[in-house]
Amino acid sequence: MIVALSLLAYALLLGAAGPRLLQAASWADRAPRLAIAAWQALTVTVLASVALAGLALTFPTVTVSGDLAELLRACVMAIREQYASPGGAAAGATGAVLSLAILGRTVWCIGAGLAGMARERARHGRILDIVGHTDAHRGVVVLESDEPAVYCLPGRQRRTVVTTGALQALDEAQLDAVLAHEHAHLAERHDLILGLARALASAFPAVALFRLAADETARLIELRADDAAAARSGRLTVAGALLAVASGGIALSPAVALAAGGAGAAARVRRLIPPHKPLGSARTAAGSFAVAALFALPVLLLGGPAAAAAGHNLCPDANVSASTAAL
């Protein structure tokens, strides 16, 4: 019971304080990749903590097992002892429902989200096959439109789409910059990162943490792609390119695509104008350690009692029977 309450308290504390701390962090825009990992760690850890709390209520033997396999092989007598009382049975049933509901809802929404994304990409890909033509030199699909837009379509058949309006609005350096931006999205699988965040927001719409995480993840992956493009083409070149395609990203790109322009482009341009100030190796290492600690603490809360109790004999009857049989 103490382990379950500790995990629930940890989840509540993270859910309440975590978003405020991350949104107020001045380093997030300077290190968007680390900030993305922090939001992912925060959401996954909150879910895992609640699910593990339910598991701790359901199976009292979690205090004597170091992993799931050991837990499943744990002595049945300890479980019978808990479920012999009405209070223990009620706590166990509540924990089982809680864990299964969280796991089932999460898996369902992630699966449904990925399937929906795949269908929408396939549908848009068929449209591009009809109305677009391939530019083999640049490795892009050119779409006839006066709107300046550049976006990528992730998936099995990755495509980067450039409109004729964008080709007219961008010079060669700016075009290279936006293509580098889209290539960063594809190479780092930002579609999956954003898809996971949106799936969790859909699974638990009443929890503000997941809505904020989805919004911040969408913003941060654009900052990360901007930085990747700036490393190749220069920050001012990327800023000029974003200004040129800012309107077209909203008008033309489908919801499952990742566009260079679109909402938030003005703030991204302002961010690119001053010289870049890296976060520094020491602060990056500290942030990485904090992200790892978010994941590790629920495991320690659950596994600490296991390590302490591993040497205790909680199944005396079984051991006595085994000794008698040996004699």
Side-chain angles (χ1 to χ4, degrees):
M1 181 67 74
I2 294 177
V3 173
L5 292 176
S6 298
L7 287 167
L8 288 174
Y10 181 60
L12 289 174
L13 178 63
L14 283 184
R20 297 179 183 179
L21 293 175
L22 283 178
Q23 286 186 308
S26 59
W27 57 264
D29 286 5
R30 295 167 58 189
R33 179 184 288 180
L34 180 59
I36 292 169
W39 280 105
Q40 287 181 301
L42 181 63
T43 54
V44 172
T45 301
V46 167
L47 273 183
S49 297
V50 178
L52 290 175
L55 189 65
L57 288 173
T58 306
F59 297 103
T61 52
V62 295
T63 58
V64 297
S65 53
D67 54 41
L68 183 58
E70 289 295 326
L71 180 144
L72 294 176
R73 292 192 297 266
C75 185
V76 176
M77 292 183 62
I79 301 178
R80 287 179 177 175
E81 183 178 353
Q82 171 172 320
Y83 286 88
S85 66
T94 301
V97 170
L98 180 63
S99 294
L100 290 175
I102 290 176
L103 179 62
R105 180 68 175 169
T106 301
V107 172
W108 173 264
C109 288
I110 291 176
L114 292 177
M117 289 166 58
R119 288 193 300 269
E120 182 62 23
R121 287 170 186 161
R123 186 191 69 81
H124 191 71
R126 291 192 293 269
I127 295 174
L128 292 177
D129 290 338
I130 297 172
V131 301
H133 64 274
T134 302
D135 182 338
H137 175 67
R138 294 190 175 97
V140 300
V141 175
V142 179
L143 193 63
E144 293 288 339
S145 174
D146 292 334
E147 291 285 346
V150 180
Y151 62 89
C152 66
L153 198 65
R156 292 183 179 179
Q157 296 181 340
R158 299 178 177 183
R159 303 185 188 188
T160 301
V161 180
V162 181
T163 64
T164 52
L167 292 176
Q168 294 173 359
L170 300 171
D171 59 30
E172 284 298 321
Q174 291 173 336
L175 180 59
D176 286 343
V178 292
L179 292 181
H181 176 103
E182 300 305 327
H183 292 164
H185 281 319
L186 295 174
E188 298 182 13
R189 297 311 307 264
H190 288 164
D191 58 309
L192 295 181
I193 295 172
L194 184 57
L196 173 63
R198 287 175 172 171
L200 293 181
S202 174
F204 307 100
V207 182
L209 164 65
F210 299 116
R211 296 195 306 271
L212 290 172
D215 292 341
E216 280 298 294
T217 299
R219 184 181 72 87
L220 288 166
I221 62 173
E222 294 301 332
L223 300 190
R224 168 57 195 157
D226 288 344
D227 288 347
R232 173 174 176 174
S233 302
R235 297 175 69 82
L236 294 181
T237 301
V238 177
L242 290 179
L243 287 174
V245 300
S247 61
I250 300 175
L252 287 180
S253 61
V256 292
L258 297 170
R268 289 159 54 200
V269 168
R270 289 194 295 270
R271 171 180 174 268
L272 288 167
I273 292 175
H276 179 54
K277 296 181 179 179
L279 190 59
S281 57
R283 295 184 66 183
T284 300
S288 301
F289 177 81
V291 169
L294 286 178
F295 284 120
L297 190 54
V299 178
L300 294 176
L301 286 173
L302 195 62
H312 291 279
N313 178 17
L314 297 184
C315 304
D317 290 351
N319 287 343
V320 169
S321 299
S323 300
T324 303
L327 293 175

